[in-house]
Amino acid sequence: MAFLLRQISRSAEGREIVRPSRIEADRLTIGRDPECDVHLTDLAVALRHATVERSGASRLDVTAEGGLTLELNGRKVSSGRIELGTGGDIRIASHILRFMPTPAGSDEIAVDVERVTEGEVKLSKGDERMFSLASRMPSKRAAAWLLSILVLGLFLAWPIKAYYDRQNEQAIARKFHADEMWSSGSLSRGHAQLADNCEACHVKPFEAVRDQSCKACHTKVHDHANPFRLARARPDLDRWGKVKLAFQETFDIPPGRCVECHTEHEGKREMPVTAQRFCSDCHQSLKSKLPDTPLPDAGDFGTSHPEFRPAVLTRWNGARPMMQRVSLAEKPRENSGLKFPHALHLSKTNGVAQMARRLSGEHGFGQSLACADCHDGDPSGTRFEPVNMEEDCAMCHSLAFDRQGGTVRTLRHGEPAQVIADLRDFYRASPVAPPPNLGGIARRRPGEVMEARTRIQFTRGAGNPGRAAQAIRAVFSPGGACYDCHAVEARGPMDFRIRPVAFPVRYLHKGWFDHRPHQTETCESCHKAGASNSASDLLIPNLASCRTCHGGENARAEVPSSCAMCHDYHMDGGAPSMLIRQRVRGKKRDTTIAAAAPRGRGGGGNGR
């Protein structure tokens, strides 16, 4: 059995266009789905609207699916029959399917499919004008001129006059001014107090807002690059672009003005988070725009961000530390001048852990040392206070060498020359018992010469120079109080120096990291300090470590992250604007500065 379809359409002149097709099947599907046998392009038609199936030698069963309806021979039904001998019509929305009469015993059924519309009575142009308002209205050209003049008068001439009238107005009472019609919306919450002071930003009439107007209030804002230098360095800058740039520079209208990113009159809301495109449009192909830049190309954090390049102390110029930005992919080593194996101090089974348990009642340690026992967060919550020997180390690494009653004498930390002097004075001042042969009842070798020799030897050794030298060498030798933590330089028999110790205040100068949102994680999960056996190991988390949680702006990662989360366009010593907004949003009195945690070991510190 086959259905012979004839898709009928008409041209603009009324000429009939027929596209025939043949479907070999006993069942015909009708609907808007392109997979249907009869595809009807009408939104009023369901994807699968109806089916027509041969149920006998002389009839077709018609069924509308899913509770829908159709018109069968002029009647609205959900199902019905068509006799093949007489044929029939099915109407669905604006389409009609005409099933032509089919002789008995024939296996081919002809079906015409046509889209029809309701008949319309066409009127002549004169009749149309008679039944319209065109005969009573001015012509289109006259109406256009009248409306143009009205718009210019209401929205240009009147606001200009109102602006200059307001300059000379002395009235204090607030009233409507026609130039307010030019405003595209309310100011943001940050600028709400300027709602009645348009001149604060729009200094001159008919002149775009200049950066100087913004910097008059935002005095501590610093751009991260010279916009004219960036524009001139573009290799695709053509001759017309150079001319345009020269005009911009002459009239101090730089590309990348404040108002290009910080749009106003967008309603009373907080400033939205800076979209990633404002950064990636330039930085993802920065090398091609600025060939002499040392910065690598950077785009989406999840796919095209370069490896982190922290500032690392790589060498010393005498006592001056020399910093260098090195990619973590190169596995840089830090030359801090300190000996400190993190793995030894974080062990849960060695002697350090045993000492931590012994001191836990006094200093609040756990079953072993943790990062927070030595590293205290600073008031901002983003950095850490420098580790202090007296407060963080001395409870285990004691510098005591003498006790006088209830007073304990300690070596002076950080001053090797003072340590040497103190030890010499200590042994010089300590009394030494005379030998027995100088006592009143002691036996002596006969002769005055032997007695004099004994007295001379005792006088020379009374100051204990040998014992002082031995103690000094012990302090600066393996196992000594200084040697185990510091690099010692022996410049003479009794001349010992300590190499300087320094650490960067910030490793990532071009980015920012806030520890507060990461308090649910452990320090070890990112810094891997438990596997570090050398102080030269740089424990900064790399890019792959951050990508376990953070993805790009539109990523499906646990934390979608735009550029503004870690970087600030107006780079200075403070935290990025996005970080500040996240902390103070909805808090009128709070700031980003939290109370400093108390120093000492009472509660284990505030390391995370």
Side-chain angles (χ1 to χ4, degrees), residues 239-379:
R239 182 175 299 178
W240 169 244
K242 293 179 180 179
V243 173
K244 182 179 178 181
L245 184 62
F247 274 99
Q248 288 180 317
E249 194 164 5
T250 301
F251 293 100
D252 194 22
I253 305 178
R257 295 182 300 144
C258 303
V259 294
E260 292 183 13
C261 296
H262 301 288
T263 55
E264 261 298 350
H265 298 284
E266 298 290 336
K268 296 180 179 180
R269 57 187 178 90
E270 297 289 345
M271 181 183 295
V273 175
T274 304
Q276 179 174 286
R277 61 184 177 84
F278 284 109
C279 305
S280 59
D281 284 352
C282 182
H283 278 270
Q284 66 184 357
S285 57
L286 187 62
K287 284 290 185 182
S288 62
K289 298 182 177 73
L290 206 63
D292 61 338
T293 180
L295 299 177
D297 292 343
D300 185 85
F301 182 79
T303 58
S304 56
H305 193 283
E307 183 57 86
F308 301 142
R309 300 174 63 213
V312 184
L313 200 166
T314 56
R315 60 188 179 88
W316 291 82
N317 183 8
R320 180 183 178 188
M322 305 302 292
M323 309 296 295
Q324 181 180 356
R325 291 188 64 189
V326 186
S327 172
L328 291 178
E330 302 178 16
K331 300 186 182 303
R333 311 290 291 178
E334 190 168 37
N335 187 7
S336 64
L338 186 70
K339 300 176 185 177
F340 184 84
H342 281 85
L344 176 70
H345 290 75
L346 293 176
S347 172
K348 301 183 182 302
T349 57
N350 64 3
V352 177
Q354 183 177 356
M355 181 174 287
R357 289 191 290 271
R358 183 169 61 85
L359 298 175
S360 61
E362 180 181 358
H363 298 288
F365 297 140
Q367 293 300 307
S368 62
L369 289 182
C371 302
D373 292 326
C374 299
H375 296 282
D376 294 320
D378 70 353

Side-chain angles (χ1 to χ4, degrees), residues 416-417 420 469 472-474 476-477 488-498:
I420 296 173
I472 292 171
R473 283 193 294 269
F476 295 99
S477 300
V488 179
E489 296 179 354
R491 300 187 179 183
M494 287 290 108
D495 185 10
F496 296 97
R497 303 292 175 87
I498 301 295

Side-chain angles (χ1 to χ4, degrees), residues 399-519:
L399 298 180
F401 69 94
D402 183 36
R403 180 187 293 273
Q404 296 290 339
T407 303
V408 177
R409 299 178 65 182
T410 60
L411 299 177
R412 193 79 59 86
H413 181 259
E415 300 181 24
Q418 187 67 43
V419 170
I420 296 173
D422 287 346
L423 289 176
R424 282 176 174 168
D425 289 344
F426 171 73
Y427 284 100
R428 185 180 297 115
S430 300
V432 180
N437 58 357
L438 291 180
I441 60 174
R443 296 179 60 186
R444 295 190 294 272
R445 295 179 64 180
E448 296 180 357
V449 174
M450 296 306 299
E451 182 178 352
R453 180 180 300 174
T454 301
R455 290 185 180 280
I456 292 172
Q457 291 176 352
F458 172 70
T459 302
R460 289 178 178 176
N464 296 329
R467 294 176 62 191
Q470 183 180 359
I472 292 171
R473 283 193 294 269
V475 169
F476 295 99
S477 300
C482 299
Y483 188 89
D484 286 349
C485 297
H486 296 276
V488 179
E489 296 179 354
R491 300 187 179 183
M494 287 290 108
D495 185 10
F496 296 97
R497 303 292 175 87
I498 301 295
R499 291 182 183 175
V501 175
F503 289 92
V505 177
R506 283 182 62 186
Y507 286 93
L508 301 173
H509 287 269
K510 301 299 182 183
W512 199 273
F513 182 83
D514 187 7
H515 283 86
R516 288 187 181 179
H518 299 79
Q519 290 178 346

Side-chain angles (χ1 to χ4, degrees), residues 122-354:
K122 294 190 175 297
L123 302 176
S124 64
K125 290 185 178 180
D127 294 335
E128 289 180 357
R129 187 173 180 83
M130 180 179 61
F131 288 100
S132 68
L133 295 177
S135 60
R136 296 292 182 267
M137 294 291 291
S139 65
K140 294 180 179 179
R141 177 171 296 181
W145 277 107
L146 288 174
L147 289 176
S148 299
I149 294 173
L150 181 62
V151 168
L152 290 174
L154 284 178
F155 303 108
L156 181 61
W158 185 25
I160 291 175
K161 180 179 183 301
Y163 171 80
Y164 285 106
D165 289 344
R166 186 166 57 175
Q167 303 306 307
N168 302 321
E169 187 178 89
Q170 301 297 328
I172 301 178
R174 179 74 172 90
K175 63 180 183 179
F176 173 76
H177 296 277
D179 55 345
E180 294 179 12
M181 292 188 295
W182 289 343
S183 175
S184 58
S186 302
L187 293 176
S188 63
R189 294 179 183 176
H191 291 153
Q193 71 276 10
L194 300 176
D196 298 331
N197 186 16
C198 303
E199 291 80 6
C201 300
H202 302 276
V203 178
K204 295 182 179 180
F206 305 104
E207 180 180 272
V209 176
R210 302 300 177 90
D211 287 355
Q212 288 80 356
S213 300
C214 302
K215 293 178 180 179
C217 297
H218 302 276
T219 56
K220 296 183 179 180
V221 169
H222 307 285
D223 292 339
H224 74 320
N226 186 323
F228 288 112
R229 174 178 177 269
L230 291 177
R232 285 193 296 268
R234 292 181 55 181
D236 58 343
L237 189 65
D238 55 13
R239 182 175 299 178
W240 169 244
K242 293 179 180 179
V243 173
K244 182 179 178 181
L245 184 62
F247 274 99
Q248 288 180 317
E249 194 164 5
T250 301
F251 293 100
D252 194 22
I253 305 178
R257 295 182 300 144
C258 303
V259 294
E260 292 183 13
C261 296
H262 301 288
T263 55
E264 261 298 350
H265 298 284
E266 298 290 336
K268 296 180 179 180
R269 57 187 178 90
E270 297 289 345
M271 181 183 295
V273 175
T274 304
Q276 179 174 286
R277 61 184 177 84
F278 284 109
C279 305
S280 59
D281 284 352
C282 182
H283 278 270
Q284 66 184 357
S285 57
L286 187 62
K287 284 290 185 182
S288 62
K289 298 182 177 73
L290 206 63
D292 61 338
T293 180
L295 299 177
D297 292 343
D300 185 85
F301 182 79
T303 58
S304 56
H305 193 283
E307 183 57 86
F308 301 142
R309 300 174 63 213
V312 184
L313 200 166
T314 56
R315 60 188 179 88
W316 291 82
N317 183 8
R320 180 183 178 188
M322 305 302 292
M323 309 296 295
Q324 181 180 356
R325 291 188 64 189
V326 186
S327 172
L328 291 178
E330 302 178 16
K331 300 186 182 303
R333 311 290 291 178
E334 190 168 37
N335 187 7
S336 64
L338 186 70
K339 300 176 185 177
F340 184 84
H342 281 85
L344 176 70
H345 290 75
L346 293 176
S347 172
K348 301 183 182 302
T349 57
N350 64 3
V352 177
Q354 183 177 356

Side-chain angles (χ1 to χ4, degrees), residues 9-31:
S9 58
R10 300 184 183 278
S11 65
E13 296 81 9
R15 182 171 53 87
E16 190 176 84
I17 301 174
V18 179
R19 292 187 294 275
S21 61
R22 181 185 181 91
I23 298 176
E24 299 284 349
D26 292 336
R27 186 169 179 267
L28 196 66
T29 59
I30 306 169

